[in-house]
Amino acid sequence: MNRRGFILWLTGMSGAGKSTLSRALRERLSPERAVEVLDGDEVRTWLTRGLGFSREDREENARRIGHVARLLARHGVGVIVAAISPYQRSRAEVRALAAEAQVDFVEVYIEAPLDALITRDVKGLYKKALAGELPHFTGVSDPYEAPESPDVTVRSATEPVEAGVERVLDALRARGHLSPRAA
Ligand SMILES: Nc1ncnc2c1ncn2[C@@H]1O[C@H](COP(=O)(O)OS(=O)(=O)O)[C@@H](OP(=O)(O)O)[C@H]1O
Ligand SMILES: Nc1ncnc2c1ncn2[C@@H]1O[C@H](COP(=O)(O)OP(=O)(O)O)[C@@H](O)[C@H]1O
């Protein structure tokens, strides 16, 4: 098994299940791997405080998260990023940043139809966005560019959390980041 770090980049719309999946993955990966979670929602209170939701700010958000993730991964940490990161271009940029440092980058697309997200509405944000009270809301009044060839796709409206977790762990095992029996 290799002890190189990796970046698991979870992308998907608000409420798709990024935070839920990161928490479940962290539990499964520990203690075999040192794990850090960088969640957009939380990171926006420190590393990317002050950034908004324009294209420019979202790209900057992804870039800064990518830099920190790369630093950690270079020292053997398994980094789980949970950020909407709606633009193909910025996901490609962080993938390239990781490659420069020879850090494995695994893109996980957490997909759920907009209808399901509106029904789920965990934080009540879709209701506000649909009422026109939240401008530039991803999927409603702002774009989400789905990954064209993600390493793993998780369909959170039709499969249980555990199924998604297993698929991501399989991808990590296949890349040698977990021992065959672990997790
Ligand atoms: N306009 C708009 N669009 C999307 N999301 C919004 C918006 N305004 C606030 N929020 C809240 O911010 C969280 C997303 O932050 P991210 O850093 O992941 O976004 S991004 O990657 O920069 O697009 C997101 O968290 P999640 O629901 O966990 O995805 C929302 O709670
Ligand atoms: N298969 C699944 N994977 C992830 N979340 C799911 C799944 N099925 C239902 N959910 C629910 O969807 C919601 C996702 O919220 P959250 O993880 O905060 O999303 P995000 O971080 O993408 O905004 C949670 O209430 C979670 O329990």
Side-chain angles (χ1 to χ4, degrees), residues 93-140:
E93 187 184 328
V94 288
R95 184 187 280 276
L97 261 181
E100 257 173 36
Q102 292 169 350
V103 163
D104 207 0
F105 183 92
V106 182
E107 186 176 49
V108 180
Y109 173 31
I110 312 199
E111 187 275 338
L114 187 59
D115 285 1
L117 298 178
I118 290 171
T119 308
R120 218 178 250 175
D121 209 3
V122 193
K123 300 177 185 165
L125 296 175
Y126 283 95
K127 190 169 173 222
K128 284 194 186 148
L130 290 166
E133 292 162 20
L134 257 185
H136 301 290
F137 193 76
T138 306
V140 176

